[in-house]
Each structure stands twice: as structure tokens, then as C-alpha cells.
Amino acid sequence: LESSLLTQPWASVCFGESSFLAKAFFGDTGYILLISDLSSVWYENADIQVVGQRSKELNKRLTVHVSSFLHRLRNLMCPLLEGQPGTTTSFSCHHMASGLSLHVKSELSGLPFYWDFHCCPAPVEMVSRHLVRPLIRMSLALQYQVKELTSLLLQKDAEIEDYRESETALSRGRLRTELFQEKMFQQNFMAEVRSSAS
């Protein structure tokens, strides 16, 4: 399940007043959920036995196969992770000393359907594999991209300056641009990042 989770994208979700990043994978034999508030990371890896036992505890009036519960959970969580939560489903979360509990209330076959995700703190290796390493790789890729774009802008400025020196006039004055100042651009960008973070 965890190897399948690696291929799933992170999504921004809200439960009440709290915002989280979350990703999940639901298979035929269980599910795995990873959720973070960027201060802590929690997860639950539930196999078919756990799902079967919990479904009996939470939904005594429902007698459906465990695979139906997993299918229903997938249908509830996937739209949420895609930014389109169902109107008949409600989510709430509770912080506990042992982790994070995510409560789901919906319907199945015309009857109330309840589910609790019992998430415990994720191990360091899991956090590194799913969050830290991908973020570092993306940061390095973006740094390389910025470097390439900066180099391209400086080349374009040199090309434009050469045209100006040869007294080539712009047909439209509004297209005139100032020379790209790399240091000034970086300072302004960092100032905007700090103000948005605060």
C-alpha cells in the first residue's frame, strides 16, 4: 500500500477550522492515509481485518462486505482530495495525545455511515520518503529553473541592448523594458515571500 501511496499527489484539505495536506490510497485489501499540518505528520495503514472489525463497531446496522466499505471510503475520500467533497458527507478531526482522529459521517444504502481514521505519528523514514525528499528535489529543480531563466533573461537583455546600440527603434514604445537586475529581483522576491509567510 505504501508504494502505491508514493504515486499519489498531496492535496490541501480543510476539516473545520484546520487546514492539512493529505494523500491516500485505497486498495482491495486495505488503505493508507497520510496527513500533515506541516508541524506534524500522521498516518494510518489499515488492512482488511482492521477495516472489517471497525466497520462492525461503527456501523452495526450495515451488513456489507469489507470490500464495499473500502469502495465507499474511496468514493468519499477521493473527491475530498480532488477539491470536490460530497455535500452529504461531513468530516471532523480531533487532536489526541496519541495522534489524530478523523471522523467521517455519510450514508451507505440509505443508512447512516460512520468511519474513524485513527492516525498515529508517522515514522521519520516515512516522512522523509513522502514529504522531505520530494520537497528537496522540487526545490532543487526550481532553483535550477530560476538559474536557467535568469541566464536567458540576461542574454535577451544583451541582445536587446545590441539592437539599441545599432539604433534600431521599437515600433511600439510600450514594449520597451528595463534591464533585468538579478540582485534586485531576488531581494524583492524574498521580501514578498517573508510578507506572505507572516
Side-chain angles (χ1 to χ4, degrees):
L1 286 175
E2 191 183 343
S3 60
S4 298
L5 184 66
L6 278 170
T7 64
Q8 302 302 308
W10 285 96
S12 179
V13 295
C14 289
F15 303 124
E17 301 291 318
S18 304
S19 297
F20 297 92
L21 290 176
K23 61 191 308 195
F25 177 79
F26 294 87
D28 296 328
T29 58
Y31 67 79
I32 183 168
L33 170 69
L34 194 58
I35 185 168
S36 173
D37 62 0
L38 296 184
S39 294
S40 302
V41 182
W42 304 272
Y43 85 109
E44 183 181 35
N45 191 342
D47 61 22
I48 201 164
Q49 284 78 24
V50 171
V51 174
Q53 182 61 34
R54 197 175 302 166
S55 64
K56 291 176 185 176
E57 295 169 0
L58 296 173
N59 301 280
K60 293 181 173 63
R61 295 171 63 192
L62 287 172
T63 54
V64 296
H65 194 270
V66 176
S67 61
S68 296
F69 274 97
L70 285 167
H71 183 72
R72 179 59 179 158
L73 285 172
R74 181 191 298 118
N75 289 343
L76 291 175
M77 291 299 291
C78 287
L80 174 72
L81 296 173
E82 293 168 1
Q84 301 170 340
T87 55
T88 59
T89 305
S90 65
F91 296 87
S92 59
C93 70
H94 306 283
H95 290 270
M96 304 173 297
S98 58
L100 184 79
S101 176
L102 175 59
H103 183 68
V104 183
K105 181 180 179 182
S106 186
E107 289 185 1
L108 180 61
S109 302
L111 293 172
F113 174 83
Y114 303 100
W115 193 257
D116 289 333
F117 293 95
H118 300 310
C119 302
C120 61
V124 173
E125 174 57 30
M126 188 179 197
V127 175
S128 177
R129 191 164 49 248
H130 289 271
L131 196 60
V132 178
R133 290 180 204 162
L135 283 173
I136 290 175
R137 283 197 293 266
M138 181 58 70
S139 176
L140 291 172
L142 289 172
Q143 287 177 30
Y144 176 78
Q145 186 181 52
V146 168
K147 186 178 178 181
E148 290 294 303
L149 289 172
T150 298
S151 175
L152 184 61
L153 278 171
L154 292 172
Q155 290 176 41
K156 289 290 184 184
D157 275 351
E159 181 181 345
I160 292 169
E161 196 61 27
D162 186 63
Y163 285 132
R164 285 177 180 166
E165 289 175 357
S166 64
E167 298 184 356
T168 301
L170 283 170
S171 59
R172 288 168 287 183
R174 62 183 175 79
L175 296 177
R176 181 176 296 277
T177 58
E178 298 296 326
L179 288 173
F180 176 67
Q181 302 291 335
E182 182 180 357
K183 189 174 181 179
M184 184 64 70
F185 172 81
Q186 290 177 345
Q187 289 174 346
N188 291 340
F189 178 78
M190 292 308 298
E192 288 180 15
V193 169
R194 290 191 199 100
S195 64
S196 63
S198 59

